[in-house]
C-alpha cells in the first residue's frame, strides 16, 4: 500500500494525515472525496522519526490498541499497520447502516477547558470536574477516565495532555471518545516526554486515590473499586502473556516491565 499525497503535519509529534478510502480501495485527501463515495475515513500516523525506536513505538501502538480492545475500555475499529504506518479509522466520521456518513462532534479537553494551543498543564482533578459538568452519565465516564489513567501507567504511556483525550457527541449524548494515542512514550528516544496532565491532590496509593476521588466527586466508591478489581482479576493478571501473543516487540516488553509490575502490585492491594 503506497500513500503518495502529503496533507499536513501535526504541530507536535508524529506526522499525521487525514485520508478517505473510496469504494474501490483508493485513497484521497480528506475533503477531496464526497461523502457518498467514502467507504472509510482514516487518520494515518507515521513514526515520529525514521529511527528504529520510533518504528518500535508505532508497532507497540498497534499492539496496545488490540490489547485495549479486549479490556473494559472504550475503543473503536482495529488499526491496520503497513510499513510501520498506522491506519486508524476515524470515530468522528462514521457510516451508518443507511449509507450516510455521519459527522460526530469531537472536542479535545484542551478545547473544552478553553485552551487553543498545545502545552498547557492540566490536572486530572479539573478534567474529572469537567466530565461531571458536561456529561449526563458522568459516573460511568469517571470510571472510564480513571481506568484509562491506570492503563496508561501500566503501558508506560507518558504522553498525557489535553489533546490526547476528547469528548465526542453522538446524537444528543456526550461521552469520552474512544481511547487513542497510547504507546510507551516513556521510552521515546528524542524529546523527553513528560505528562502534562497529572494528579495534583490525589494520593499516589491506588486505594487512597480511589477514596479521595470518590469523596471529591461524591461518587460511590464501589464503582471504581469494582472496575479495578475487574481489571486485576480478569484482564491484567496475565498482561505480559497477552502482549507477547499480540506481538509486542520484545524490547518494549522488557522496558515496560517495571511500570507493568507496579500497577499490578497496586491493583493487588485492593481488598
Amino acid at each position: 500500500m503506497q500513500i503518495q499525497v502529503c496533507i499536513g503535519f501535526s504541530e507536535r509529534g508524529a506526522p499525521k494525515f487525514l485520508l478517505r478510502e473510496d469504494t474501490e480501495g483508493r485513497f484521497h485527501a480528506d475533503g477531496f472525496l464526497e461523502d457518498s463515495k467514502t467507504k472509510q475515513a482514516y487518520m494515518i500516523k507515521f513514526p515520529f522519526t525514521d529511527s528504529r525506536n520510533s518504528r518500535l513505538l508505532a508497532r507497540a501502538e498497534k499492539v496496545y490498541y488490540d490489547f485495549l480492545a479486549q479490556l473494559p475500555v472504550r475503543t473503536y475499529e482495529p488499526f491496520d499497520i503497513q510499513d510501520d504506518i498506522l491506519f486508524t479509522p476515524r470515530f468522528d466520521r462514521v457510516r451508518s447502516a443507511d449509507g450516510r456518513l455521519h459527522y460526530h462532534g469531537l472536542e479535545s479537553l484542551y478545547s473544552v477547558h478553553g485552551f487553543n494551543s498545545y502545552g498547557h498543564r492540566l490536572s486530572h482533578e479539573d478534567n474529572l470536574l469537567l466530565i461531571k459538568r458536561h456529561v449526563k452519565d458522568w459516573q460511568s465516564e469517571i470510571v472510564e477516565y480513571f481506568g484509562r489513567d491506570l492503563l496508561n501507567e501500566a503501558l508506560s504511556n507518558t504522553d498525557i495532555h489535553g489533546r490526547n483525550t476528547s469528548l465526542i457527541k453522538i446524537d444528543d449524548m456526550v461521552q469520552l471518545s474512544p481511547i487513542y494515542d497510547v504507546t510507551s512514550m516513556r521510552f521515546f528516544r528524542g524529546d523527553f516526554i513528560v505528562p502534562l496532565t497529572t494528579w495534583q491532590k490525589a494520593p499516589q496509593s491506588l486505594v487512597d486515590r480511589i477514596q479521595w476521588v470518590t469523596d471529591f466527586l461524591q461518587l460511590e466508591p464501589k464503582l471504581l473499586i469494582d472496575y479495578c478489581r475487574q481489571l486485576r482479576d480478569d484482564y491484567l493478571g496475565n498482561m505480559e502473556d497477552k502482549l507477547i501473543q499480540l506481538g509486542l516487540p520484545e524490547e518494549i516488553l522488557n522496558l515496560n516491565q517495571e511500570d507493568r509490575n507496579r500497577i499490578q502490585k497496586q491493583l493487588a492491594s485492593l481488598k
Side-chain angles (χ1 to χ4, degrees):
M1 183 182 297
Q2 302 232 347
I3 302 299
Q4 311 237 342
V5 60
C6 173
I7 315 306
F9 289 86
S10 62
E11 178 184 338
R12 173 185 180 273
K16 301 179 180 73
F17 305 91
L18 300 180
L19 297 179
R20 293 188 180 203
E21 182 183 11
D22 67 23
T23 54
E24 297 182 15
R26 296 172 299 193
F27 286 89
H28 306 258
D30 190 58
F32 285 80
L33 183 68
E34 57 191 89
D35 289 355
S36 62
K37 296 180 180 179
T38 299
K39 176 183 176 183
Q40 178 73 64
Y42 288 94
M43 183 189 74
I44 67 168
K45 182 177 177 181
F46 285 69
F48 288 80
T49 70
D50 196 37
S51 70
R52 179 175 179 274
N53 174 254
S54 288
R55 292 180 176 276
L56 285 174
L57 291 173
R59 294 171 211 166
E61 184 169 349
K62 159 65 175 168
V63 170
Y64 284 172
Y65 205 78
D66 290 343
F67 173 68
L68 292 169
Q70 301 175 14
L71 274 58
V73 64
R74 188 170 299 132
T75 57
Y76 187 55
E77 295 179 4
F79 294 175
D80 190 15
I81 188 166
Q82 303 277 342
D83 298 324
D84 301 325
I85 301 169
L86 291 165
F87 287 71
T88 65
R90 289 182 63 177
F91 42 72
D92 61 335
R93 302 286 186 269
V94 179
R95 184 167 297 287
S96 61
D98 63 7
R100 293 176 56 213
L101 190 69
H102 292 264
Y103 289 61
H104 298 313
L106 187 69
E107 190 168 2
S108 74
L109 292 193
Y110 269 156
S111 176
V112 182
H113 279 297
F115 298 120
N116 61 9
S117 61
Y118 172 83
H120 296 276
R121 291 188 175 274
L122 300 177
S123 71
H124 290 300
E125 289 90 344
D126 284 344
N127 287 346
L128 292 174
L129 287 174
L130 182 147
I131 290 169
K132 185 176 182 179
R133 184 164 63 249
H134 289 284
V135 178
K136 183 177 181 181
D137 185 16
W138 63 269
Q139 294 95 335
S140 64
E141 297 307 286
I142 295 298
V143 174
E144 172 84 14
Y145 184 98
F146 193 88
R148 293 184 188 192
D149 179 59
L150 280 177
L151 292 167
N152 276 319
E153 287 194 54
L155 296 171
S156 305
N157 181 33
T158 55
D159 196 20
I160 312 299
H161 54 75
R163 281 206 314 229
N164 274 354
T165 303
S166 296
L167 295 179
I168 191 167
K169 183 178 180 182
I170 302 175
D171 299 324
D172 292 327
M173 179 178 65
V174 176
Q175 62 183 28
L176 287 166
S177 75
I179 194 169
Y180 57 92
D181 272 359
V182 179
T183 192
S184 288
M185 288 304 291
R186 184 185 304 282
F187 312 121
F188 176 58
R189 293 174 186 166
D191 294 337
F192 189 54
I193 306 297
V194 297
L196 292 177
T197 302
T198 56
W199 293 101
Q200 295 297 306
K201 299 178 181 178
Q204 291 189 351
S205 159
L206 178 60
V207 173
D208 293 339
R209 184 181 297 173
I210 288 174
Q211 187 61 58
W212 191 93
V213 167
T214 53
D215 289 344
F216 176 64
L217 296 172
Q218 298 182 313
L219 178 71
E220 172 57 49
K222 189 175 186 297
L223 293 173
L224 289 182
I225 292 170
D226 286 352
Y227 181 87
C228 290
R229 285 173 176 164
Q230 184 185 20
L231 285 180
R232 176 192 67 193
D233 297 340
D234 298 339
Y235 299 100
L236 300 189
N238 60 345
M239 180 178 171
E240 182 172 334
D241 292 339
K242 289 181 178 179
L243 292 173
I244 291 171
Q245 291 171 6
L246 290 168
L248 185 67
E250 184 177 1
E251 184 175 332
I252 299 296
L253 184 77
N254 293 337
L255 288 170
N256 169 246
Q257 183 175 359
E258 182 178 344
D259 292 327
R260 198 168 60 238
N261 291 348
R262 186 182 69 257
I263 295 303
Q264 289 172 327
K265 184 176 179 180
Q266 290 258 25
L267 288 168
S269 68
L270 287 172
K271 302 298 184 184

